[in-house]
Amino acid sequence: MSAATPTATLSPAVPISESPALSTAGRRRRGPTPARILAFVILAVLALAWLIPVLWAVLTSFKTEAEAAAMPVSIIPDSGFTLKAYLNVLTEGLVPRWAWNSLLTSALVTVITVAISTLAGYALSRLKFTGRQMIITLIVASIMIPGQILIVPLFHLMLNLNLVDTYWGIILPQVVAAPMVFILKKFFDQIPFELEEAALMDGASRLRIFWSIVLPLSRPILGAVAIFVFIGAWNNFLWPFIVVNDASLMTLPTGLQTVISAYGIQYAQNMAQAVLAALPLIVVFMFFQRQIIKGVATTGIAGT
């Protein structure tokens, strides 16, 4: 007696290219949708609106003072472009000195701020101690306090410490950055604690773990924080303007303001000064834009 062998009915194979899921994804990637076109147009208009003043400033900086103030306004001057405004800025004023002061103070503010914020953020993320939650609450609350409110007490403090008209008077009040502490704390919360537990079991100290494990994993966010702090310190006008009266110690934003007040409006030289002041930031962004984008994308700064 023979047993009947069941036969399986095989359905024809569906080509991969005709799979419903893949075909849907292919349709999504195939061509621009009206929403994408509209978004591109809006972004292009916004980018153009931002670039036109920058382009106008650059073109004006290559004109003579007479052509920069001439009416009607011309994009290309009749006598051609010239470097006279840049030569006057670099040779007749203290712009190179002010640029050096900005570079020195911004670099020191960046290094000290990143060091303090990193240690504070790691301590708040990993160490359990009395008052920890209260400190976190105070840090978050301090982010909502405008910095202008602290100008008077900070100036009195610098005056009592004899730090007015000094580099340290510019630097020290800027090195405590509550937003950066909170950002780094949120990043350290995302690092798996199992990595540190394994190092603790091997006998590593907390400082060794922080230096050898946590910091190498934090390079993207540390790079982004450093660039943000540097840009903020470089562009800071109010505090250096208040704490420094000596022209040789002024930073670039404050020094340029004194030139404008003393000599009146000289359009070509003002635009040349603005271009020179923005040039270091453009260079920093060009070299470190990958770190900025990676830091924002991987740590969710916008969401914190």
Side-chain angles (χ1 to χ4, degrees):
M1 183 176 180
S2 62
T5 303
T7 59
T9 304
L10 299 177
S11 59
V14 179
I16 296 177
S17 59
E18 297 180 4
S19 175
L22 294 179
S23 61
T24 302
R27 286 196 300 270
R28 290 177 181 176
R29 294 192 301 265
R30 188 166 298 168
T33 62
R36 289 184 179 179
I37 296 176
L38 179 61
F40 178 80
V41 171
I42 293 174
L43 292 176
V45 171
L46 293 176
L48 186 62
W50 182 86
L51 286 174
I52 287 177
V54 177
L55 180 61
W56 183 258
V58 173
L59 293 176
T60 304
S61 67
F62 288 102
K63 298 179 181 179
T64 62
E65 293 295 342
E67 292 169 337
M71 297 298 293
V73 178
S74 61
I75 298 178
I76 300 177
D78 297 333
S79 59
F81 294 109
T82 177
L83 294 174
K84 185 177 180 180
Y86 288 94
L87 295 176
N88 291 337
V89 168
L90 294 175
T91 57
E92 297 180 2
L94 294 175
V95 172
R97 176 70 180 183
W98 296 336
W100 165 251
N101 294 339
S102 289
L103 181 62
L104 177 63
T105 56
S106 299
L108 290 175
V109 167
T110 301
V111 172
I112 299 174
T113 301
V114 171
I116 293 176
S117 301
T118 304
L119 293 171
Y122 180 74
L124 293 173
S125 175
R126 288 294 191 258
L127 303 182
K128 308 299 180 183
F129 54 89
T130 305
R132 171 178 171 272
Q133 192 59 43
M134 182 180 296
I135 294 176
I136 296 175
T137 303
L138 291 176
I139 289 175
V140 175
S142 66
I143 297 175
M144 298 181 289
I145 299 176
Q148 292 80 359
I149 296 177
L150 304 176
I151 291 294
V152 175
L154 282 176
F155 182 78
H156 280 291
L157 179 60
M158 296 298 107
L159 194 61
N160 294 331
L161 296 176
N162 295 323
L163 294 178
V164 175
D165 276 336
T166 63
Y167 286 131
W168 289 112
I170 301 174
I171 295 168
L172 291 180
Q174 301 185 67
V175 299
V176 179
M180 302 307 164
V181 174
F182 185 69
I183 288 171
L184 288 168
K185 188 262 180 190
K186 297 293 290 183
F187 177 84
F188 294 143
D189 288 343
Q190 300 173 8
I191 297 178
F193 190 67
E194 289 76 12
L195 298 175
E196 300 178 40
E197 284 183 338
L200 288 172
M201 294 179 63
D202 290 339
S205 63
R206 179 65 68 177
L207 183 60
R208 179 62 182 275
I209 293 172
F210 174 75
W211 183 262
S212 301
I213 298 177
V214 177
L215 287 185
L217 294 174
S218 307
R219 288 176 183 173
I221 186 62
L222 291 178
V225 167
I227 294 171
F228 295 150
V229 173
F230 181 86
I231 292 175
W234 181 275
N235 290 329
N236 192 356
F237 168 78
L238 183 59
W239 177 248
F241 179 75
I242 291 174
V243 79
V244 171
N245 296 316
D246 187 353
S248 63
L249 296 175
M250 289 181 178
T251 58
L252 203 54
T254 57
L256 295 180
Q257 182 62 33
T258 61
V259 171
I260 295 173
S261 301
Y263 299 103
I265 299 178
Q266 296 178 320
Y267 295 104
Q269 291 193 33
N270 290 345
M271 294 301 102
Q273 292 167 357
V275 171
L276 291 175
L279 189 59
L281 299 183
I282 297 174
V283 173
V284 168
F285 180 79
M286 289 178 62
F287 278 98
F288 298 102
Q289 59 178 327
R290 182 175 298 179
Q291 291 292 333
I292 297 176
I293 297 172
K294 187 177 180 181
V296 174
T298 59
T299 61
I301 290 179
T304 60

